[in-house]
Amino acid sequence: MKTGSHILIRSLDRGATIFLIVVAAIAIVVPILNLAVPELSVFHLPTYLVALFGKYACYALLALSIDLIWGYCGILSLGHGAFFALGGYAMGMYLMRQIGTRGVYADPILPDFMVFLNWKELPVYWYGFQFFPYAALMIFLVPGVLAFVFGWFAFRSRVTGVYLSIITQALTYALKLGFFRNNFGFGGNNGLTDFKDVLGFNVQAEAMRNALFSISCIALILAFLLCRAIITSKFGKVLIAIRDAESRTRFLGYRVESYKLFVFTLSACMAGVAGALYVPQVGIINPSEFEPGNSIEAVIWVAVGGRGTLIGAALGAVVVNYAKTYFTSGILAPYWLFLLGSLFIAVTLLLPRGIIGTLRHWTALRRDRASAAAEDGVREPLPAE
């Protein structure tokens, strides 16, 4: 226990500590402003903003999962939206089983879309989803097993670079086509919706929405701590070595495929958790979540915030999605994709390290100049001098 605590404490620097404090404070303050502050007060936070901030927290968790493999291991996945959607479907299946006789067709077993499509019995792969522990296990297991099987073949075959990115994109597109089919058993084009309860609590109630938001923030904190513990350990040093010089790392005797497979599977599980927390807050999950464009957009979040920084990945997810919320609600809505593409190009050309990466670089340069000046016995001039 002491060893685990020591590892976590050692993995935190000042920036990481500030990030954790800010996220924890937001997880507490937002529900207070929504539930405890009167609606007529200027400090009252509307419920729709709580749900919006909850989505941002889930996106930040997804961005962390991508930064772990791309920023620290050099695996550029353009299909992480698939793992996000699979976790969402696992949660959606649990929520659909909770509806029971309150559905349109009042069938105690079959979801409404199955009754509409004349399904006679519940498919075997829906068994167990009426129990939350089983659904929670599937949230981890389904994305994790898919990532493990895919990674086993891809990494053993030494598929890397752009070829791996294209294959991951093809994977998520294939899943999208499958989930669109009505006979697949997941609601077809309409997906899963009309959710009622989560663990016996009304999913539409303000208190439940605030609880889901706080849980999303807690999940983000735990995922960040896990990622920090990994990248600051010896295991993390090997990941960085694989990113910078994979052939040399293999020559030194490390089983590169095993390291890649582990971190890729872990990243997929994190993405699945993000999707599971996302679904009850938005109230629907459908095959559009498998769109390859969603996975590419998530990679852009990481690039904008700063690849290989973790904090930057989370920040990039929030910044880009806030911009998306703002620009898609006005006259610029038809041009959002052009704005997103322009943002990515601008960041690539002007801030190749991303927002946080650039700030860290400037801080390091300033510190180096100060150290050099101190060694030479020359005081660095102040800006006003």
Side-chain angles (χ1 to χ4, degrees):
M1 189 68 164
K2 291 182 178 179
T3 303
S5 301
H6 177 67
I7 292 174
L8 287 177
I9 294 173
R10 188 179 59 187
S11 68
L12 299 178
D13 55 16
R14 184 175 64 177
T17 303
I18 293 174
F19 173 79
L20 292 174
I21 292 174
V22 169
V23 175
I26 291 174
I28 297 172
V29 171
V30 167
I32 291 176
L33 293 180
N34 177 250
L35 297 174
V37 177
E39 293 186 7
L40 297 179
S41 173
V42 294
F43 297 104
H44 176 75
L45 194 69
T47 302
Y48 81 91
L49 285 180
V50 176
L52 183 64
F53 294 161
K55 287 173 55 179
Y56 291 169
C58 295
Y59 290 149
L61 179 53
L62 174 60
L64 276 184
S65 71
I66 295 175
D67 196 26
L68 179 62
I69 58 170
W70 184 35
Y72 294 95
C73 196
I75 303 172
L76 176 55
S77 170
L78 296 182
H80 251 52
F83 305 126
F84 180 87
L86 287 173
Y89 265 96
M91 175 59 79
M93 292 167 72
Y94 164 75
L95 295 173
M96 291 297 291
R97 293 300 308 273
Q98 301 305 300
I99 296 175
T101 57
R102 291 173 294 174
V104 175
Y105 297 100
D107 192 293
I109 303 297
L110 297 180
D112 284 338
F113 74 88
M114 290 186 183
V115 179
F116 178 77
L117 295 173
N118 294 319
W119 288 59
K120 301 304 181 183
E121 59 182 14
L122 193 70
V124 174
Y125 46 85
W126 275 77
Y127 289 178
F129 276 96
Q130 69 270 31
F131 305 113
F132 181 77
Y134 178 83
L137 177 63
M138 291 299 106
I139 288 168
F140 286 95
L141 197 59
V142 173
V145 169
L146 177 61
F148 182 85
V149 173
F150 173 84
W152 174 268
F153 290 102
F155 299 140
R156 280 175 60 88
S157 302
R158 298 190 181 182
V159 179
T160 58
V162 65
Y163 302 103
L164 181 66
S165 300
I166 292 173
I167 294 174
T168 56
Q169 194 171 38
L171 173 67
T172 187
Y173 188 71
L175 287 170
K176 171 194 168 186
L177 295 179
F179 275 77
F180 259 118
R181 297 174 60 90
N182 286 326
N183 59 0
F184 217 56
F186 296 103
N189 182 49
N190 295 323
L192 309 178
T193 188
D194 194 31
F195 307 135
K196 307 295 185 182
D197 295 336
V198 177
L199 295 173
F201 298 97
N202 183 3
V203 74
Q204 300 295 333
E206 287 189 355
M208 193 61 206
R209 288 187 174 275
N210 282 276
L212 289 170
F213 166 76
S214 296
I215 292 171
S216 299
C217 291
I218 293 172
L220 178 60
I221 290 173
L222 295 177
F224 181 83
L225 288 172
L226 176 62
C227 292
R228 286 288 304 183
I230 290 174
I231 65 174
T232 56
S233 66
K234 293 181 180 179
F235 184 91
K237 304 304 180 186
V238 177
L239 293 181
I240 295 173
I242 293 172
R243 179 196 68 189
D244 296 339
E246 180 174 333
S247 298
R248 184 176 299 179
T249 306
R250 183 178 286 110
F251 178 77
L252 291 174
Y254 290 98
R255 299 190 62 178
V256 170
E257 294 78 15
S258 299
Y259 282 86
K260 281 187 169 184
L261 183 60
F262 174 80
V263 75
F264 188 72
T265 304
L266 175 61
S267 175
C269 292
M270 290 172 56
V273 172
L277 292 171
Y278 172 83
V279 167
Q281 297 186 80
V282 299
I284 188 172
I285 177 71
N286 58 40
S288 65
E289 297 297 337
F290 287 101
E291 284 286 351
N294 293 344
S295 298
I296 297 173
E297 187 175 329
V299 171
I300 294 177
W301 305 341
V302 178
V304 170
R307 173 191 172 194
T309 62
L310 294 182
I311 297 175
L315 178 64
V318 175
V319 169
V320 175
N321 280 284
Y322 174 78
K324 183 177 182 179
T325 302
Y326 181 80
F327 288 115
T328 55
S329 59
I331 59 175
L332 296 176
Y335 310 103
W336 161 245
L337 291 178
F338 297 101
L339 292 172
L340 181 63
S342 300
L343 175 64
F344 183 58
I345 293 173
V347 168
T348 302
L349 295 177
L350 303 178
L351 298 174
R353 296 180 178 86
I355 298 173
I356 298 298
T358 301
L359 291 175
R360 288 182 175 178
H361 179 66
W362 288 347
T363 302
L365 289 178
R366 189 177 179 87
R367 189 184 303 116
D368 291 342
R369 285 198 300 265
S371 299
E375 290 177 1
D376 294 339
V378 179
R379 181 176 62 86
E380 186 177 20
L382 297 173
E385 293 181 346

